[in-house]
Amino acid sequence: MKTLLLNALFLSISLHAITLDGVIEKALKKQPSLEVIQARLTANKQSIEVANQFKNPQLALTSNTIDSSQAMSQTVVTLQQEIQYYNKRDTKQAVALAQEDILQEELNAAKVALVGKIKQEAYTLWELREQKRIIDDYIALTQKNIELFEAYTTVSSNQHMGIMKAELSLAQLSIKIATLDAQIYGAYSRLSYLAATKINELDITLEMGEKPEFARLKTTLTHNPSIELKAKEIRKQEADVALKDINKYPDFNLIAGYAYRENFDNYFNFGVALTLPIYGTEDALKEEAKALKIAMLSQKSDLDISVASELKVYYAQMLSAYQTYHIIQDDALPQVAHMFDLSSSSIATGGDLFKYIDVLFERLKLEQQSITAVALYNKNRAKISELAGEKQ
């Protein structure tokens, strides 16, 4: 009956568990921070349309107070339309289109960053759960051996001290469990926020991967979101420089009017007006735009260096985690396992419980370090994926 209840509980949990891919899919669809950029993209589409439109015409109605018997007495309706210099409207539209490219890249970068945060939180959650699982196992093992020690030995004062140490160790492990429970709860809360949906159980398994190779990892950094975004900003600035340059040329105003005279013939008048950019304002604005472009080029060069540096840091941490894991698994744990077997077999014959607890905790520490190494390896691999602009 107990087995059936446990199986039913496991099935219920598994049905409500969600995979990491599932969390990412939900987040990319529902995260409000992404919807903000989507709204800005929608708004910018209107800016693109407006950029290529003519300015609104001006309609004026004027009249004078001269007696209608005089020829100068008239009421005039005037229509005025500004005609911008050749290609100026297209150039303005090019700036708006470049802004759309920037927003698209901002959206892509936000998605990449969101996926990176989700992976970091998910891997932290895996690490915390594995730490709790292994401590639970050690609590059960320690309790079993205390009972075995008490059952098969005559407890002397010295052996009683060993039991007290074992029980104190159990208390320390229980405190760690309580701390881990709080951390796991916090990790689920943060993951739920990132996914914009409630997550109660995450289905995730992590393993140590292959030894990282710097040259291969470097080839993945062809579409870094920060560098791509800066490149789009530079292209917009180039379009802005072109707009500032073409603004030096005058715009025309076509004028047409109709004069009504009560006692004389009515007439039409036509005219042309143009702006005179004679004060150097447009040249100054162009130089300002060119200076900003030069600054952006320097920022992009700095970003190139920064991304390459970040890759080296993540690679070094990834390699360190890989080496640590294999030192523990291939060298340290087999040695401790032999010590543990010897110590465990002596418990039933009244062996030193002090030594057993020391060996037990040494093995626990190594296994915890192994779990941390796996989590650290995968976290840094996720950071490199983020640098590469991956969204899965």
Side-chain angles (χ1 to χ4, degrees):
M1 183 66 181
K2 183 178 180 181
T3 303
L4 289 174
L5 288 174
L6 288 173
N7 288 336
L9 178 61
F10 177 77
L11 179 62
S12 174
I13 292 174
S14 63
L15 288 174
H16 291 88
I18 184 172
T19 64
L20 178 56
D21 287 343
V23 174
I24 291 173
E25 183 180 358
K26 286 181 177 292
L28 292 178
K29 289 180 179 178
K30 299 176 63 176
Q31 237 303 323
S33 60
L34 300 181
E35 293 177 359
V36 171
I37 303 177
Q38 290 280 16
R40 289 168 59 195
L41 271 166
T42 301
N44 191 70
K45 289 187 183 297
Q46 303 304 316
S47 297
I48 294 172
E49 183 177 346
V50 169
N52 202 36
Q53 298 291 334
F54 285 100
K55 290 185 178 180
N56 290 329
Q58 293 183 351
L59 181 66
L61 175 66
T62 60
S63 182
N64 58 42
T65 58
I66 299 175
D67 188 87
S68 60
S69 62
Q70 302 296 319
M72 293 296 294
S73 174
Q74 59 185 354
T75 299
V76 181
V77 177
T78 304
L79 181 66
Q80 182 172 311
Q81 175 66 61
E82 180 179 299
I83 305 296
Q84 293 182 327
Y85 185 80
Y86 171 75
N87 207 37
K88 187 177 288 189
R89 289 185 297 120
D90 290 339
T91 307
K92 287 171 63 179
Q93 191 175 54
V95 174
L97 287 169
Q99 178 63 24
E100 182 179 40
D101 289 342
I102 289 175
L103 291 173
Q104 288 284 5
E105 195 57 47
E106 284 182 356
L107 179 61
N108 178 68
K111 288 180 178 180
V112 170
L114 178 61
V115 170
K117 289 178 182 177
I118 289 173
K119 286 182 178 179
Q120 295 297 319
E121 205 61 62
Y123 297 161
T124 297
L125 183 57
W126 175 87
E127 180 183 5
L128 294 171
R129 292 193 323 196
E130 286 297 300
Q131 296 281 6
K132 180 182 177 182
R133 178 190 61 78
I134 198 171
I135 291 175
D136 282 335
D137 291 343
Y138 272 76
I139 288 174
L141 182 60
T142 303
Q143 288 175 332
K144 178 180 177 182
N145 281 284
I146 289 174
E147 293 170 1
L148 184 66
F149 186 80
E150 290 175 331
Y152 288 96
T153 62
T154 302
V155 180
S156 64
S157 59
N158 184 48
Q159 291 166 333
H160 184 67
M161 288 292 292
I163 293 175
M164 290 178 64
K165 179 178 180 181
E167 290 176 342
L168 181 60
S169 299
L170 282 177
Q172 292 174 341
L173 291 177
S174 296
I175 291 171
K176 288 183 179 179
I177 288 292
T179 302
L180 286 169
D181 281 337
Q183 292 174 330
I184 289 170
Y185 180 83
Y188 270 119
S189 297
R190 290 189 295 271
L191 195 60
S192 296
Y193 161 72
L194 292 171
T197 188
K198 180 67 174 176
I199 298 175
N200 296 311
E201 186 66 26
L202 180 67
D203 180 11
I204 182 172
T205 302
L206 293 183
E207 296 178 349
M208 177 56 66
E210 61 184 14
K211 185 177 181 179
E213 297 179 7
F214 182 79
R216 183 181 62 81
L217 293 173
K218 189 176 180 180
T219 60
T220 64
L221 302 188
T222 55
H223 298 290
N224 176 262
S226 297
I227 293 176
E228 291 285 312
L229 177 59
K230 185 56 65 176
K232 297 290 176 61
E233 290 175 349
I234 290 171
R235 280 197 281 274
K236 182 192 174 183
Q237 192 60 31
E238 288 173 345
D240 192 53
V241 170
L243 179 61
K244 295 295 192 300
D245 182 60
I246 205 170
N247 277 342
K248 295 188 300 182
Y249 297 94
D251 297 325
F252 293 87
N253 282 278
L254 299 180
I255 304 169
Y258 180 77
Y260 167 76
R261 297 190 294 181
E262 185 176 346
N263 297 311
F264 298 90
D265 292 338
N266 302 327
Y267 63 90
F268 289 94
N269 57 52
F270 302 95
V272 176
L274 71 158
T275 56
L276 298 176
I278 60 175
Y279 297 114
T281 302
E282 289 74 14
D283 287 328
L285 291 174
K286 178 186 174 181
E287 291 305 314
E288 178 188 27
K290 288 170 66 176
L292 289 174
K293 177 189 170 182
I294 293 172
M296 288 181 179
L297 288 171
S298 298
Q299 289 174 340
K300 185 176 181 297
S301 297
D302 182 66
L303 270 175
D304 291 334
I305 298 171
S306 176
V307 169
S309 176
E310 286 184 72
L311 176 63
K312 291 178 181 178
V313 171
Y314 299 151
Y315 162 76
Q317 293 179 352
M318 199 173 170
L319 181 61
S320 174
Y322 175 87
Q323 293 171 335
T324 300
Y325 176 83
H326 282 285
I327 289 171
I328 293 171
Q329 293 293 326
D330 301 340
D331 300 328
L333 278 179
Q335 295 179 29
V336 173
H338 180 64
M339 294 169 59
F340 186 74
D341 289 340
L342 294 175
S343 181
S344 296
S345 62
S346 69
I347 294 296
T349 58
D352 191 346
L353 192 58
F354 270 103
K355 292 182 180 178
Y356 169 78
I357 294 299
D358 287 340
V359 174
L360 182 69
F361 269 72
E362 196 63 36
R363 191 177 79 169
L364 173 60
K365 185 187 298 183
L366 287 170
E367 292 189 350
Q368 287 178 313
Q369 289 175 335
S370 180
I371 290 170
T372 299
V374 173
L376 186 62
Y377 177 94
N378 283 277
K379 284 180 179 180
N380 281 282
R381 183 168 63 181
K383 288 177 180 178
I384 293 173
S385 295
E386 186 175 346
L387 284 181
E390 297 178 9
K391 295 193 284 290
Q392 288 296 332

